[in-house]
Structure formats: structure tokens, C-alpha cells
Amino acid sequence: MKGKETKIILTEKEMPTSWYNVLADLPKPLPPILHPATKEPTILPPPLFPSGIRDQEFSTERYIEIPEEVLDIYKLWRPTPLIRAYRLEKALDTPAKIFYKYEGVSPAGSHKLNTAVAQAYYAKKDGIKRFTTETGAGQWGSALSLGCAFFGLECKVYMVKVSYYQKPYRRILMETWGAQCVPSPSPDTEIGRKILAEDPNSPGSLGIAISEAIEDAFKRDDTYYSIGSVINSVLLHQTIIGQEAKKQMEKAGYYPDIIVGCIGGGSNFAGMFLPFVKDKLNGKKPNLRIINVEPTACPSVTKGLYTWDYGDVAGLAPIIKMYTLGHTFMPPGIHAGGLRYHGMAPIICHLHRLGYVEAKAVPQVATFQAGVQFARAEGIVPAPEPNHAIRVAIDEALACRESGESKTILIALSGHGHFDLAAYDEYLTGKLQDYVYPEEKVKEALAHLPKVDYVEA
Ligand SMILES: *Cc1c(COP(=O)(O)O)cnc(C)c1O
């Protein structure tokens, strides 16, 4: 039964046709989201989100069918490969069996296109013409640009000004796919003009960019706002990854002992582990370990408080119950830009509280060391974000070498690092540094949590 293949592939016919919704299987329901002003339970605001997405957000249907049009686009790069890391195993001299599921084969270079395509589909279905969003390093902006191109929608991306000038390639990618990308703060919105008037040289921040994107979408009837992680529906769209991986692991003749992934807002890793955590929730695989890895510079789950906080820096988004470092927390400028969110997906936080998943934090330099070791063995140069997962996977494999156990380790490899080579250059020339946990800044940010009276039943 156990095959010897390096690459375990699925045919298009074997591709899952539904997303898996974990809300159907939770032993205790997820807390609601609260309106930022009234602080009472609410839904995703109708003027900003497609109806299809709003329906999915709190649905308790176990399997939600993937629309035909979305599946057809997924087939441009899906099913993605599952690869047995024979060469890394050998380099580590470990009895562990290491597998990785590679999302870097998507045209946008990461898992983010899985939800971008779905969101563009539902917007188009509502008769909407245009999407706005924010982007930091540009991964999400580029994925949404392509998602919109597939459905003939306009896309406007507010890109944090420092990144806009530091990382021109992502902007060019967005423009190639037909999107408009502006440095934020921009003169195109009220909030942007206000900030520019006070400080024409403002470097911008994700919080400002979100505020601009939301203001823009609020002001126009033909425009929705799109978010690339954190919310339930986005995690749902990513479960195509884990469902494919499960079939592929079965084909290979193994079931993982450990699944490891990086978490920024939590979407790529939840997409991987949710179809597997189902086996833990129903008692079939009680010993499966699911390890969420975050940077020590932005350790929401390992150091944050589990409490109510705004989803965004500006306090415009709903208030959610999650592990948070405080919505005003500005993390140090680590290269894993996708892991700099102050909070975490409520689904991951809830599963962590209930004891079904664990979390670890790792420092930056050690993650690049792992990424380079991975690249030299397997060829793929990973994005700085999944280097966090690879670090922990390598540590687990090295522990197996000591103990002689031959555990099966599955890594969520969320994207490639071809646009992050400057970060690799810093590592290779010895300039990359670690940031200690910014305890004082977190304390300060946690002083600004919203006051919430709502109590769960
Ligand atoms: C954005 C991004 C992440 C972090 O976001 P999640 O929602 O936690 O997945 C991780 N890896 C890559 C390659 C990304 O682009």
C-alpha cells in the first residue's frame, strides 16, 4: 500500500467539489462577532460583503458546494502537489517521514488565490463591478487582482506606502493583471487626504490602508470590500488544500502524526488542518498534533490575551473574540509580512482554547536558516511565512533522530519566496536580525481594548 512516489498527485476528477465547514462539527459554538459601535452581535455588513460570503460566514452546513465557475478556475493550478521530502529527510538524517503540500504553484504564488477567486465569483453574482482591498507586502493585493481579472471586475488596491516603494514587483504584478494600485495614504479618500495634510511623508500602515479601502467601498454602490484572511468564510475557501492533502496522504499510505503551518490571520494553515481536525473532533485521531507557528515578534496566540478586540487597527471592523496583542499594536518589521496581524482567526483561537490545536513562536533568523536548508534539499525557495512552519518541522524531525521514532510530519507550504529575495539576501549576508518580543508595546496596545459588556450564553 505504501508507495514510494516523491510527488503524490490527484487528477482533476479527484479534486474535492465542496469546501469543509468546521462550524458543523465544533463541540461548542463559536462566539458571535460584535458590531464595532453597538457592541452587539452582528453579521458581516451587507454594503461591504457579497451575499454569498455573508451566508457562508455563519453557516453550519458541513459541506458547501464549490461553484462550477470557481472549480473551473481552480483547475488552472489545482490539485496542487503533495511532495515527500526524501532529500530533506536524508539531509537531516532522520527516520521521520516529511511531506509538504505546495500552494506556490498558483499563478499568484500562494494559497491566497483560493479565496480571491471565490470572493470575486460571489461579487460578480451580486452584480457588483468593483472590489477594494488593502495590502501590506502585496501578496493579498496580487491574488485579489488576479481573482478580479478572472471575473472581469475592477480592483483597487491600497498598498502601504513604504512597501509600495520598497517592493515594486508586487505592484507591477497587480497592474499586469489589470488592477489599480495606489500608495496609502492616498489623496483618493477623505481619511487619506486628512493624514497626508498632517504628514505628507507618512509611511502608511495596514490600518490606514484598511480604512481607505473600506471608505472607498462604503461610498460606492458598485463596490465591495475584500479581506484575505481571518474570517470564517476565507478559512472555508482554503479547506480545498486540506481535503486534497488528506486524499494524497491516503494515496501515499500515511496519516500524519504532526501537521505544521504558519499563521498570520490563519487562513492557509486552517485550510490545511481543518479537514484533519475533524478526525480529532470526532475522536478518530486523538493523538494527531496540529502546530500553529507564529513569529516571536508578533506572537498573538502564544502571548496574546483571549478577549474581544477590533479586527482592524482603525476600529471600523467588527469586534471579535480572539487571541490579540491589541488592535493598535504595530509589530516590528519582520520579513514575513503576512504574519504581522495583531489577532488571529476566531476558528483557530476557539480550537486552541478547546485544546485541539497547539501554538509555538519562533524567531526570524532561525526561520530563514530552515528555509535555506529546505531550498538546498528540495529546490523550492519558500516564502518567509512558511519558513516558520519549516523551522518547527525540522526541529520535530531532529527530535525523531534523537528518539528513533519515525513520525509522519505534514507541512503546509503556503507559497514561494521569489518576491522575497531581498530578505534572503539579508540572511545570506549576515544582516538579518531577530526581534525580541516587544512586551512593553503589547502592554500599551492592550490598554486600548474596546470595552464590551456582551456576555456569551
Ligand atoms: C499571507 C500569507 C500567509 C499568512 O496568512 P494566513 O492567512 O495566515 O495564511 C502565509 N503564507 C503566505 C505565502 C502568505 O502569502
Side-chain angles (χ1 to χ4, degrees):
M1 181 65 200
K2 295 194 178 185
K4 287 260 183 283
E5 310 95 306
T6 297
K7 195 153 90 281
I8 299 110
I9 49 174
L10 297 177
T11 62
E12 282 182 16
K13 279 207 179 108
E14 292 170 301
M15 207 165 113
T17 54
S18 303
W19 291 302
Y20 166 62
N21 180 14
V22 76
L23 299 195
D25 291 317
L26 292 175
K28 197 177 158 228
L30 209 61
I33 60 172
L34 307 181
H35 192 280
T38 67
K39 301 192 170 93
E40 289 297 326
T42 187
I43 56 167
L44 293 179
L48 292 182
F49 290 91
S51 54
I53 300 294
R54 285 189 285 116
D55 292 346
Q56 289 172 357
E57 192 61 17
F58 301 105
S59 165
T60 49
E61 211 171 302
R62 184 167 290 111
Y63 289 98
I64 295 177
E65 210 175 306
I66 305 174
E68 196 75 39
E69 294 90 328
V70 173
L71 269 178
D72 283 346
I73 293 172
Y74 279 177
K75 285 175 189 166
L76 291 172
W77 72 96
R78 308 206 72 87
T80 62
L82 177 81
I83 298 165
R84 172 80 183 265
Y86 283 116
R87 296 177 53 83
L88 180 63
E89 291 170 17
K90 199 156 179 218
L92 298 171
D93 189 24
T94 175
K97 295 162 194 76
I98 307 174
F99 292 85
Y100 55 94
K101 174 76 166 159
Y102 186 43
E103 290 296 304
V105 294
S106 100
S110 80
H111 67 288
K112 288 197 170 78
L113 196 55
N114 296 326
T115 186
V117 169
Q119 293 188 43
Y121 165 81
Y122 289 111
K124 180 84 178 181
K125 207 172 158 210
D126 283 356
I128 281 297
K129 289 206 177 64
R130 187 171 169 272
F131 253 130
T132 63
T133 198
E134 71 284 344
T135 197
Q139 287 135 315
W140 169 239
S142 49
L144 188 68
S145 301
L146 182 53
C148 286
F150 285 139
F151 287 97
L153 300 174
E154 287 172 46
C155 181
K156 179 155 180 185
V157 181
Y158 293 88
M159 185 169 183
V160 178
K161 200 202 270 173
V162 272
S163 306
Y164 182 92
Y165 291 111
Q166 271 172 8
K167 307 187 177 200
Y169 293 120
R170 284 270 172 204
R171 167 186 55 83
I172 298 165
L173 204 50
M174 293 181 233
E175 290 171 350
T176 303
W177 284 320
Q180 186 193 2
C181 176
V182 295
S184 163
S186 78
D188 303 359
T189 64
E190 254 169 63
I191 176 129
R193 285 190 292 273
K194 186 164 162 266
I195 291 165
L196 285 174
E198 285 161 14
D199 177 11
N201 297 318
S202 163
S205 71
L206 211 50
I208 296 172
I210 293 175
S211 309
E212 287 203 279
I214 292 180
E215 181 191 316
D216 180 328
F218 252 125
K219 280 198 175 141
R220 286 178 56 159
D221 288 342
D222 64 350
T223 301
Y224 280 151
Y225 165 71
S226 174
I227 180 168
S229 187
V230 184
I231 64 175
N232 303 342
S233 49
V234 171
L235 272 55
L236 173 81
H237 302 153
Q238 297 296 353
T239 59
I240 182 98
I241 303 172
Q243 292 184 89
E244 285 180 7
K246 225 173 156 180
K247 285 192 178 184
Q248 287 163 308
M249 289 299 292
E250 221 166 88
K251 271 198 177 182
Y254 291 98
Y255 190 93
D257 297 298
I258 300 173
I259 311 180
V260 52
C262 65
I263 48 166
S267 71
N268 89 87
F269 191 41
M272 170 69 113
F273 80 63
L274 288 174
F276 288 93
V277 90
K278 183 168 182 283
D279 298 340
K280 259 189 109 154
L281 292 167
N282 65 22
K284 277 195 203 148
K285 297 282 179 188
N287 299 324
L288 167 64
R289 288 182 62 201
I290 295 168
I291 310 176
N292 293 269
V293 189
E294 55 187 13
T296 46
C298 191
S300 327
V301 181
T302 51
K303 298 269 192 184
L305 284 183
Y306 185 66
T307 186
W308 297 102
D309 197 7
Y310 293 108
D312 71 320
V313 188
L316 295 170
I319 295 170
I320 43 193
K321 187 92 174 267
M322 60 181 173
Y323 287 103
T324 178
L325 299 168
H327 65 281
T328 55
F329 173 65
M330 283 279 264
I334 52 167
H335 286 285
L339 307 185
R340 296 177 72 241
Y341 182 60
H342 68 273
M344 189 50 58
I347 286 177
I348 291 187
C349 299
H350 192 66
L351 289 168
H352 186 269
R353 293 293 289 185
L354 297 174
Y356 290 99
V357 304
E358 50 192 293
K360 272 196 174 141
V362 289
Q364 175 162 260
V365 176
T367 66
F368 275 87
Q369 191 238 336
V372 167
Q373 188 170 21
F374 185 90
R376 289 178 188 176
E378 296 294 321
I380 293 168
V381 179
E385 292 86 358
N387 280 348
H388 289 69
I390 294 168
R391 172 74 271 158
V392 170
I394 288 178
D395 291 345
E396 290 290 339
L398 291 175
C400 285
R401 182 168 76 189
E402 296 310 307
S403 67
E405 288 170 284
S406 67
K407 290 184 184 162
T408 300
I409 302 170
L410 173 58
I411 304 169
L413 185 43
S414 50
H416 68 63
H418 297 177
F419 293 97
D420 304 285
L421 292 178
Y424 275 90
D425 191 39
E426 266 190 42
Y427 169 76
L428 293 169
T429 53
K431 288 181 205 131
L432 193 72
Q433 41 159 324
D434 280 332
Y435 294 94
V436 289
Y437 167 60
E439 195 171 351
E440 280 310 307
K441 279 173 73 183
V442 171
K443 234 189 223 166
E444 150 70 18
L446 288 175
H448 300 287
L449 292 174
K451 228 188 107 27
V452 169
D453 296 322
Y454 174 80
V455 269
E456 284 165 78

